Amino acid sequence: MIDGVIFDLDGTLIDSMKIWSKIDREFLLENGVEDPPADISDIVRKMTVEESSQYFIDRFGLLCKKEYIINRIEELVRIEYEENIPLKPYAAELLDFLDNEGIPYGAATATYKKLAESVLSRCGILHRMKFILTDQEYPLGKNFPDIFLGAAEKLKVPPERVLVAEDSLHCIETASAAGFVTAGIYDEISAGESEIIAEKADYYISSLKEIENIVRNERI
């Protein structure tokens, strides 16, 4: 029985992962890193904002403070979230389906809260979310289950009846170990992990539309 849904944001509800790849490299270039590693975004997307900022300092010997990195990267991506990044295909229609079924949902994301709110507001779905949880409330990030368990509490549904929709392997592993039903969603940026995600997740899907079938099947 699926009685609640927790959505990831980047790469799951919104099509933003390519933006982050560009921004990470842009930030490093402007701070004197002449040839940023091609896989830098693959590394830091598994980290919280605090962790990734410290990682940049430690790995590349940056002289700036962690707070500067956090604020500068938020500044670089803000216009994309406020003006350009779209929803993933079928996102709005899926929320319509969940509303019609009386299934509550919210978002758990490593993205800056202001950015998450701005993109969802522009796309017209912020008011439909029961909550948006971020690293601000759960600084351990998605390598630990706290953020998912906190979301389940807000949904007032036990983990075994909550579907977690994610595009990243480490998030699927964390949610699955905590007892949630998991749906791995294909995204181009995480395609290299797709086979492992398909093994670890309860479901592996290529489109948000397929979540309707998951909910129906689980509720039979």
Side-chain angles (χ1 to χ4, degrees):
M1 207 58 180
I2 296 296
D3 291 328
V5 179
I6 302 170
F7 290 105
D8 173 47
L9 191 62
D10 296 280
T12 299
L13 270 186
I14 64 172
D15 196 4
S16 57
M17 293 306 295
K18 289 181 181 178
I19 297 298
W20 281 102
S21 297
K22 181 182 76 171
I23 292 299
D24 290 333
R25 293 178 61 81
E26 182 179 337
F27 172 80
L28 292 172
L29 285 167
E30 76 174 24
N31 283 275
V33 181
E34 295 183 0
D35 187 21
D39 65 345
I40 189 62
S41 292
D42 292 333
I43 296 171
V44 299
R45 71 188 176 92
K46 300 175 184 179
M47 303 178 184
T48 66
V49 172
E50 293 270 343
E51 289 170 341
S52 62
S53 299
Q54 188 63 51
Y55 179 82
F56 283 154
I57 292 171
D58 294 342
R59 177 168 179 178
F60 302 106
L62 303 184
L63 299 178
C64 51
K65 293 183 178 181
K66 185 166 58 176
E67 291 73 22
Y68 168 78
I69 299 176
I70 292 171
N71 293 333
R72 179 56 180 154
I73 291 180
E74 182 178 10
E75 182 181 352
L76 288 171
V77 298
R78 182 181 296 115
I79 192 167
E80 297 290 346
Y81 278 75
E82 291 179 349
E83 299 182 10
N84 299 323
I85 293 172
L87 292 175
K88 278 291 194 79
Y90 208 77
E93 291 86 348
L94 173 58
L95 300 190
D96 289 340
F97 166 77
L98 295 175
D99 288 342
N100 289 335
E101 293 292 316
I103 299 174
Y105 49 84
T109 177
T111 297
Y112 301 76
K113 191 154 196 170
K114 289 182 180 178
L115 298 182
E117 291 174 344
S118 67
V119 67
L120 295 180
S121 177
R122 175 174 53 80
C123 292
I125 63 172
L126 177 62
H127 66 286
R128 304 174 69 172
M129 297 282 163
K130 293 291 185 184
F131 53 82
I132 298 177
L133 300 182
T134 71
D135 296 347
Q136 289 178 236
E137 297 91 353
Y138 294 92
L140 293 177
K142 291 183 177 179
N143 288 308
F144 294 84
D146 306 53
I147 191 168
F148 296 116
L149 295 172
E153 287 183 10
K154 288 186 175 295
L155 292 171
K156 299 181 180 179
V157 179
E160 64 270 17
R161 301 212 313 263
V162 176
L163 178 70
V164 173
E166 284 274 1
D167 68 304
S168 295
L169 174 61
H170 71 288
C171 303
I172 290 290
E173 290 177 328
T174 301
S176 181
F180 291 86
V181 181
T182 55
I185 297 180
Y186 174 84
D187 185 76
E188 183 178 348
I189 298 299
S190 58
E193 299 178 332
S194 59
E195 290 187 7
I196 304 177
I197 292 174
E199 292 177 4
K200 298 288 186 178
D202 295 298
Y203 299 91
Y204 187 68
I205 59 180
S206 60
S207 165
L208 288 172
K209 182 176 177 60
E210 296 174 63
I211 289 182
E212 286 192 17
N213 291 331
I214 294 174
V215 171
R216 289 192 178 101
N217 290 338
E218 290 280 349
R219 290 168 75 87
I220 292 176

